[in-house]
Every structure is written in C-alpha cells, then in structure tokens.
C-alpha cells in the first residue's frame, strides 16, 4: 500500500507538465520498435497507428519508428522513461533491471505452447505483472506475442550436449545466460539489429528465435540447422511512460485502451499464423535443415534446463512460477 501511495504521489508531482502535453490540440505518441514492419509486432504498431488515425478525429497522432530507426535495444527504455518516446514494445527479457518477476517468461520449458502463455497472461498474476514497473515510470498496456522460440546453430542440435562449446546470441537476460551455461555453451549479448552479421561472421554460432524472426531477418540463410525446440516464448510488452499515460484525458485514454485491446487480439492471432507460414517458407527454401525432436530428446532438453528454474525461483517468486505452472497445458513432473 505504501509503495502504491508513493507512486501516486510521484505521478501527481509531475502531472502538470505531462498534462500540458496531453492538452495540446494533437497528442503525439512516438512508438518505436526494433523489428521489421512485416513482423507481428511491426504490423501491430502500424494497425495501432491506423486505428488511432481513423477513430480519434485528429486528437492523437501516432508516429511509428521500426527497425531501431529512432531508438535501439540499448537505449529505448531510458528514452521512454525520459518521455523522449511514449510507447515501446520491448521483449519481456529487456525488463530485468526494473522487475525480476517478468523473468518467468524466460525460463526454459515453462510454457508448452502459446495457449498456455495466453492463459497465464489473462489471469490475475499475469495482469498484475503489467503494473509491476509503475514505480519506475513504466506502465504495461498489453502483451504481444511473437512466438515460441527455436534454437538454430551451425551444427545439428538433437541433444543438450550438442550445444556445448558454441556461442549463442541472447538478449540481455540473466536467465538466458544461465540457460546456455547449463548446456555448456557461451551466451553473447547482442542487439537484435546485429544478429545477422554476428551469425554470418561467425562471432556467434547460434541463436534462439521464433520462426517469424528467423525468416524476416533471413537468419535461416546463415544458420544451416534449426531445431524445433519450442523451449521458450518470445513475447513483448506494449508499454508507455506511466506519467505521460495517466495524464492523457480519461476519455481519450479509454479510447486508446479499446484500440490496444483490438490490436492485441489481431497481433497475437497473426503471430501464430506468421510463425506457421514462415516455418513452411524456411523449409521450402532448403537453406536450413529443420530438426524435429523425438519425445525422448525433448525430455532430455527439459531435464537439462530444469536447474535454471531453481536458480531463479528466489528472484522471480515461487508464487509467480506456480501460477504459470498451474495454467500450463501439459504437466511434466
């Protein structure tokens, strides 16, 4: 309760300056992201821009900046907190320094599929996580899917030991670092915009991505093997500067929230369709061999990575992990 009161007081102290922006004839929202326009997130940003333009009668203008053209991985969150950009959709792994609870989404084999992820995000604990960074001036507005992650490399990965000695590109996440350490591999933190060159040059030999990222960034052209592990989820959180967001007049903010709900439904449905389509495109290209794990091989991967759960249970919270386990479709004891 005291924490909530402190956040409310902080918001009130700066409300006047943000409200002045919101009172202008046209409210400008800069929405920046790091992927291409033809990805689910890129399409979601453009849909949000279009619906705002159609429905808010010039009261709000959304400017979309894709492909790290305004801010990149390294500085986008600080730019948002400073109100230099008003909306972002970073992957959940990016929030480590602001809350540890969201690390639950990085835990390997925590969710079997996107349906399990959906159930968790729609229930009370998942909704609470959207508000877990308000004391850092970040408010979560929605979860956007990209898809389940696959593991690619310069060699065939059928068993956990096959990854030993390789360098894998990861986002800046302690959980992902520990995940590859558990496999005897080395994790290399690298901005998304540099992944293709990193793989092409041999700086790293592998990565983890959903099918849509693999195809849209042409990563399959420099990764001869892709193992269909579905070992993790790559999701985004659509966020705003908290003080900016709550200073928007109530009626306009309500309309924006309704549009975000509509866009979120479309993005998440498109993400599933895009990943299926892009998997087929990669397979048809013949440039990368897709490896399907047997049930026994998949169980070996799961068991190899189970210690990562134990390592981070204290930081994430046992209540969060248990809530995620409860909604998972398949139970693995």
């Amino acid at each position: 309760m005291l924490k909530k009161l402190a956040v409310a007081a902080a918001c009130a102290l700066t409300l006047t300056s943000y409200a002045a922006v919101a009172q202008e004839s046209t409210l400008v929202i800069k929405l920046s992201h790091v992927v291409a326009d033809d990805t689910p997130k890129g399409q979601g940003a453009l849909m949000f821009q279009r619906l705002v333009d159609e429905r808010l009668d010039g009261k709000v203008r959304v400017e979309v900046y894709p492909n790290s053209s305004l801010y990149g991985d390294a500085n986008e969150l600080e730019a948002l907190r400073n109100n230099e950009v008003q909306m972002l959709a970073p992957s959940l792994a990016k929030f480590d320094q602001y809350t540890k609870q969201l690390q639950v989404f990085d835990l390997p084999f925590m969710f079997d599929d996107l349906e399990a992820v959906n159930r968790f995000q729609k229930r009370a604990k998942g909704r609470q996580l959207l508000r877990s960074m308000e004391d850092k001036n970040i408010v979560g507005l929605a979860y956007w899917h990209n898809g389940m992650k696959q593991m690619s490399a310069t060699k065939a990965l059928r068993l956990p030991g096959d990854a030993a000695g390789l360098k894998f590109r990861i986002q800046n996440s302690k959980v992902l670092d520990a995940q590859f350490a558990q496999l005897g591999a080395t994790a290399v933190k690298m901005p998304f915009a540099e992944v293709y060159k990193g793989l092409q040059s041999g700086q790293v030999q592998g990565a983890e991505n959903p099918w849509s990222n693999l195809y849209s960034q042409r990563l399959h052209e420099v990764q001869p093997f892709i193992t269909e592990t579905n070992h993790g989820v790559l999701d985004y959180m659509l966020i705003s500067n908290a003080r900016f967001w709550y200073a928007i007049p109530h009626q306009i903010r309500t309309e924006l929230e309704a549009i975000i709900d509509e866009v979120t439904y479309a993005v998440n449905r498109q993400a599933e369709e895009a990943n299926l389509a892009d998997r087929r495109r990669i397979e048809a290209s013949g440039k990368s061999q897709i490896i399907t794990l047997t049930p026994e091989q998949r169980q070996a991967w799961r068991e190899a990575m189970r210690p990562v759960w134990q390592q981070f249970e204290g930081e994430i919270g046992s209540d969060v992990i248990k809530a995620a386990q409860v909604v998972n479709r398949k139970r693995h004891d």
Side-chain angles (χ1 to χ4, degrees):
M1 178 62 72
L2 291 175
K3 182 178 178 181
K4 291 182 179 179
L5 290 173
V7 173
C11 289
L13 288 173
T14 57
L15 190 60
T16 303
S17 60
Y18 284 91
V21 175
Q23 299 280 339
E24 293 180 2
S25 57
T26 299
L27 177 67
V28 177
I29 297 177
K30 295 180 180 179
L31 196 169
S32 172
H33 63 82
V34 302
V35 297
D37 281 332
D38 59 355
T39 60
K41 177 163 64 173
Q43 289 294 296
L46 293 175
M47 181 180 177
F48 178 66
Q49 180 186 50
R50 175 174 58 81
L51 293 181
V52 168
D53 183 59
E54 290 175 358
R55 298 179 186 177
L56 290 180
D57 194 28
K59 297 174 186 175
V60 180
R61 184 176 78 250
V62 176
E63 299 176 356
V64 176
Y65 299 88
N67 276 322
S68 304
S69 57
L70 186 62
Y71 293 101
D73 283 322
N75 55 7
E76 62 177 4
L77 282 166
E78 193 59 30
L80 179 111
R81 295 179 70 211
N82 292 334
N83 203 40
E84 294 164 4
V85 59
Q86 289 72 46
M87 291 181 75
L88 302 171
S91 63
L92 297 174
K94 304 285 179 59
F95 297 112
D96 178 75
Q97 62 181 309
Y98 304 109
T99 177
K100 302 299 182 185
Q101 290 182 310
L102 288 172
Q103 291 179 136
V104 68
F105 292 103
D106 282 343
L107 291 176
F109 296 101
M110 172 57 69
F111 301 101
D112 289 324
D113 50 38
L114 283 179
E115 285 304 313
V117 176
N118 279 331
R119 288 195 295 273
F120 175 70
Q121 291 175 347
K122 290 176 180 178
R123 293 193 181 185
K125 186 59 67 175
R127 301 300 298 175
Q128 288 173 15
L129 295 183
L130 289 172
R131 301 291 184 263
S132 62
M133 299 176 286
E134 288 192 350
D135 59 337
K136 307 296 194 305
N137 198 24
I138 298 171
V139 58
L141 306 175
Y143 293 107
W144 285 4
H145 294 330
N146 190 334
M148 301 301 289
K149 293 186 291 186
Q150 320 306 330
M151 205 169 290
S152 64
T154 53
K155 62 179 288 191
L157 305 176
R158 291 186 172 86
L159 290 170
D162 295 333
L166 299 180
K167 294 180 180 179
F168 287 83
R169 178 268 172 178
I170 65 165
Q171 302 179 70
N172 188 9
S173 163
K174 291 193 299 181
V175 175
L176 299 182
D177 198 336
Q179 169 185 282
F180 284 105
Q182 193 66 33
L183 298 174
T186 301
V188 178
K189 299 176 179 66
M190 181 182 295
F192 186 67
E194 299 175 14
V195 177
Y196 182 89
K197 289 183 179 179
L199 292 168
Q200 185 182 45
S201 67
Q203 182 181 355
V204 289
Q205 293 85 50
E208 53 170 16
N209 282 285
W211 297 109
S212 61
N213 278 11
L214 283 160
Y215 186 75
S216 68
Q217 300 296 318
R218 300 186 295 118
L219 303 183
H220 65 292
E221 297 179 1
V222 289
Q223 291 281 262
F225 299 96
I226 302 173
T227 302
E228 195 167 20
T229 50
N230 290 313
H231 65 280
V233 59
L234 179 56
D235 260 12
Y236 308 114
M237 185 184 288
L238 183 66
I239 59 174
S240 182
N241 176 295
R243 292 193 282 272
F244 170 86
W245 185 253
Y246 290 125
I248 296 174
H250 178 73
Q251 182 177 353
I252 294 177
R253 190 168 73 246
T254 299
E255 293 179 77
L256 289 172
E257 288 169 347
I259 291 173
I260 288 171
D261 287 344
E262 185 174 341
V263 172
T264 298
Y265 176 80
V267 166
N268 291 347
R269 184 177 62 181
Q270 182 191 7
E272 294 188 60
E273 294 172 353
N275 279 291
L276 288 172
D278 287 340
R279 184 195 186 282
R280 289 194 293 267
R281 292 186 181 105
I282 290 172
E283 188 171 32
S285 74
K287 295 180 179 179
S288 188
Q289 178 185 345
I290 296 176
I291 298 169
T292 301
L293 298 176
T294 66
E296 294 75 19
Q297 288 171 334
R298 183 173 172 79
Q299 185 62 24
W301 283 90
R302 182 179 286 108
E303 291 301 322
M305 293 187 182
R306 190 181 294 275
V308 180
W309 291 23
Q310 300 165 348
Q311 182 177 344
F312 289 91
E313 183 176 4
E315 289 187 9
I316 297 170
S318 59
D319 59 327
V320 178
I321 292 177
K322 287 177 182 177
Q325 286 180 287
V326 164
V327 302
N328 200 19
R329 175 177 297 169
K330 303 170 186 173
R331 299 300 301 273
H332 304 280
D333 299 321

